[in-house]
Amino acid sequence: MANIFLGSDHAGFGLKKEIIDLLQSMSLSVLDMGCDSETISVDYPLYARKVVEAVLANSENRGILICGTGLGMSVAANRFPGIRAALCQELYTAKMSRLHNDANILVMGGRIVGSGLGREIVRVWLSTPFEGGRHQERLNIIDSWHPDPKDHL
Protein backbone atom coordinates (compact mmCIF):
# COMPACT_ATOMS: atom_id res chain seq x y z
CA MET A 1 0.00 0.00 0.00
CA ALA A 2 1.50 3.33 -1.06
CA ASN A 3 -0.51 5.99 0.81
CA ILE A 4 -3.74 6.33 2.71
CA PHE A 5 -5.65 9.53 1.96
CA LEU A 6 -8.31 10.71 4.39
CA GLY A 7 -11.08 13.22 3.89
CA SER A 8 -14.04 14.31 5.94
CA ASP A 9 -16.63 16.97 6.30
CA HIS A 10 -17.27 18.75 9.59
CA ALA A 11 -19.43 15.87 10.91
CA GLY A 12 -16.67 13.34 10.27
CA PHE A 13 -13.79 15.46 11.51
CA GLY A 14 -13.56 13.96 15.01
CA LEU A 15 -13.51 10.35 13.85
CA LYS A 16 -11.04 11.25 11.09
CA LYS A 17 -8.58 12.59 13.69
CA GLU A 18 -8.91 9.33 15.66
CA ILE A 19 -8.24 7.28 12.53
CA ILE A 20 -5.24 9.42 11.57
CA ASP A 21 -3.75 8.78 15.03
CA LEU A 22 -4.30 5.03 14.57
CA LEU A 23 -2.72 4.96 11.11
CA GLN A 24 0.28 6.98 12.23
CA SER A 25 0.78 4.61 15.18
CA MET A 26 0.88 1.80 12.59
CA SER A 27 3.66 3.69 10.74
CA LEU A 28 1.56 4.05 7.58
CA SER A 29 1.86 6.93 5.12
CA VAL A 30 -1.15 9.12 5.87
CA LEU A 31 -2.28 12.28 4.07
CA ASP A 32 -5.16 14.39 5.38
CA MET A 33 -7.03 16.01 2.50
CA GLY A 34 -9.30 18.07 4.82
CA CYS A 35 -11.52 19.40 6.20
CA ASP A 36 -9.79 21.14 9.08
CA SER A 37 -12.56 21.82 11.59
CA GLU A 38 -15.71 20.38 13.07
CA THR A 39 -17.15 23.83 13.71
CA ILE A 40 -17.29 25.16 10.14
CA SER A 41 -19.83 23.50 7.83
CA VAL A 42 -18.28 22.32 4.55
CA ASP A 43 -19.45 20.51 1.42
CA TYR A 44 -18.52 16.81 1.61
CA PRO A 45 -18.35 16.23 -2.20
CA LEU A 46 -15.30 18.49 -2.45
CA TYR A 47 -13.36 16.33 0.01
CA ALA A 48 -14.60 13.11 -1.54
CA ARG A 49 -13.23 14.21 -4.90
CA LYS A 50 -9.81 15.07 -3.44
CA VAL A 51 -9.49 11.58 -1.99
CA VAL A 52 -10.85 9.95 -5.16
CA GLU A 53 -8.28 11.74 -7.32
CA ALA A 54 -5.45 10.66 -5.00
CA VAL A 55 -6.61 7.03 -4.99
CA LEU A 56 -6.96 6.96 -8.77
CA ALA A 57 -3.46 8.41 -9.20
CA ASN A 58 -1.85 5.18 -7.94
CA SER A 59 -3.55 1.77 -7.72
CA GLU A 60 -1.62 1.09 -4.49
CA ASN A 61 -3.26 4.06 -2.74
CA ARG A 62 -6.30 3.71 -0.54
CA GLY A 63 -8.71 6.23 0.89
CA ILE A 64 -10.91 6.73 3.91
CA LEU A 65 -13.87 9.13 3.80
CA ILE A 66 -16.00 10.16 6.76
CA CYS A 67 -19.13 12.31 6.89
CA GLY A 68 -22.08 12.28 9.28
CA THR A 69 -23.70 9.06 8.07
CA GLY A 70 -21.23 7.98 5.41
CA LEU A 71 -24.00 8.03 2.82
CA GLY A 72 -23.07 11.29 1.14
CA MET A 73 -19.40 10.40 0.84
CA SER A 74 -20.32 6.96 -0.56
CA VAL A 75 -22.55 8.44 -3.22
CA ALA A 76 -19.99 11.10 -4.19
CA ALA A 77 -17.00 8.73 -4.36
CA ASN A 78 -18.80 5.99 -6.29
CA ARG A 79 -19.64 8.42 -9.10
CA PHE A 80 -16.09 7.87 -10.37
CA PRO A 81 -15.15 4.82 -12.44
CA GLY A 82 -12.36 2.85 -10.80
CA ILE A 83 -13.53 3.72 -7.31
CA ARG A 84 -15.00 1.03 -5.12
CA ALA A 85 -16.07 2.95 -2.02
CA ALA A 86 -17.66 0.79 0.67
CA LEU A 87 -19.79 2.18 3.49
CA CYS A 88 -18.89 0.08 6.52
CA GLN A 89 -20.50 0.58 9.92
CA GLU A 90 -19.43 -2.77 11.40
CA LEU A 91 -16.65 -5.34 11.03
CA TYR A 92 -18.28 -7.87 8.69
CA THR A 93 -18.87 -5.43 5.84
CA ALA A 94 -15.36 -4.01 6.32
CA LYS A 95 -13.93 -7.50 5.83
CA MET A 96 -16.17 -8.42 2.90
CA SER A 97 -15.63 -5.09 1.14
CA ARG A 98 -11.97 -6.01 0.78
CA LEU A 99 -12.28 -9.79 0.42
CA HIS A 100 -14.91 -9.78 -2.35
CA ASN A 101 -15.01 -6.21 -3.69
CA ASP A 102 -11.40 -5.00 -3.43
CA ALA A 103 -12.71 -1.73 -1.98
CA ASN A 104 -10.17 1.03 -2.43
CA ILE A 105 -12.03 3.56 -0.29
CA LEU A 106 -13.52 2.90 3.14
CA VAL A 107 -16.42 5.13 4.13
CA MET A 108 -17.76 5.56 7.66
CA GLY A 109 -20.32 7.73 9.40
CA GLY A 110 -18.84 9.92 12.12
CA ARG A 111 -22.26 10.23 13.79
CA ILE A 112 -22.86 6.48 13.54
CA VAL A 113 -19.53 4.84 14.37
CA GLY A 114 -17.73 5.52 17.64
CA SER A 115 -13.96 5.88 17.75
CA GLY A 116 -13.31 2.39 19.16
CA LEU A 117 -15.40 0.66 16.53
CA GLY A 118 -14.04 2.96 13.83
CA ARG A 119 -10.50 1.98 14.70
CA GLU A 120 -11.39 -1.73 14.54
CA ILE A 121 -13.15 -1.28 11.20
CA VAL A 122 -10.01 0.35 9.79
CA ARG A 123 -7.77 -2.42 11.15
CA VAL A 124 -9.95 -5.12 9.58
CA TRP A 125 -10.26 -3.23 6.30
CA LEU A 126 -6.51 -2.69 6.01
CA SER A 127 -5.56 -6.25 6.96
CA THR A 128 -8.01 -8.10 4.71
CA PRO A 129 -6.63 -9.05 1.29
CA PHE A 130 -8.65 -9.23 -1.91
CA GLU A 131 -9.60 -12.84 -2.67
CA GLY A 132 -9.58 -12.44 -6.48
CA GLY A 133 -10.86 -15.33 -8.59
CA ARG A 134 -14.56 -15.09 -9.37
CA HIS A 135 -14.66 -11.75 -7.55
CA GLN A 136 -12.07 -10.29 -9.94
CA GLU A 137 -14.19 -11.47 -12.86
CA ARG A 138 -17.12 -9.48 -11.44
CA LEU A 139 -14.99 -6.38 -10.97
CA ASN A 140 -13.79 -6.74 -14.57
CA ILE A 141 -17.42 -6.57 -15.70
CA ILE A 142 -17.94 -3.34 -13.78
CA ASP A 143 -14.65 -1.88 -15.01
CA SER A 144 -15.54 -2.68 -18.62
CA TRP A 145 -18.35 -0.12 -18.44
CA HIS A 146 -15.79 2.72 -18.16
CA PRO A 147 -12.37 1.50 -19.29
CA ASP A 148 -10.33 4.58 -18.31
CA PRO A 149 -11.28 6.08 -14.94
CA LYS A 150 -9.10 9.17 -15.52
CA ASP A 151 -11.40 10.21 -18.40
CA HIS A 152 -14.02 11.03 -15.78
CA LEU A 153 -12.04 13.28 -13.45
Side-chain angles (χ1 to χ4, degrees):
M1 182 177 346
N3 299 297
I4 302 174
F5 294 87
L6 287 94
S8 74
D9 68 359
H10 53 285
F13 180 80
L15 181 57
K16 180 182 70 171
K17 296 310 272 180
E18 293 281 333
I19 300 306
I20 288 172
D21 290 345
L22 167 70
L23 297 172
Q24 288 174 338
S25 75
M26 298 169 70
S27 300
L28 296 171
S29 176
V30 179
L31 291 104
D32 184 352
M33 308 298 283
C35 78
D36 302 317
S37 170
E38 61 188 347
T39 59
I40 299 170
S41 181
V42 298
D43 297 319
Y44 65 84
L46 301 176
Y47 299 95
R49 185 176 184 131
K50 287 181 180 186
V51 171
V52 161
E53 288 174 345
V55 169
L56 289 175
N58 180 339
S59 64
E60 297 292 316
N61 289 342
R62 291 210 205 154
I64 299 174
L65 292 169
I66 307 169
C67 63
T69 63
L71 294 168
M73 287 290 201
S74 294
V75 169
N78 280 315
R79 298 283 298 177
F80 294 87
I83 292 298
R84 295 172 305 280
L87 175 59
C88 300
Q89 313 286 39
E90 35 66 36
L91 300 177
Y92 183 73
T93 53
K95 178 179 179 178
M96 298 310 289
S97 75
R98 289 287 310 134
L99 196 64
H100 287 186
N101 305 113
D102 198 20
N104 51 11
I105 295 181
L106 169 65
V107 186
M108 294 185 288
R111 294 179 176 154
I112 308 296
V113 174
S115 65
L117 178 57
R119 293 165 76 91
E120 288 304 310
I121 289 170
V122 169
R123 281 188 188 100
V124 166
W125 189 73
L126 289 175
S127 65
T128 303
F130 177 50
E131 193 171 74
R134 71 183 191 278
H135 306 294
Q136 181 61 58
E137 293 170 18
R138 294 168 184 159
L139 293 180
N140 291 344
I141 293 169
I142 295 168
D143 289 343
S144 74
W145 299 339
H146 297 284
D148 190 352
K150 292 185 177 112
D151 287 345
H152 298 276
L153 287 177

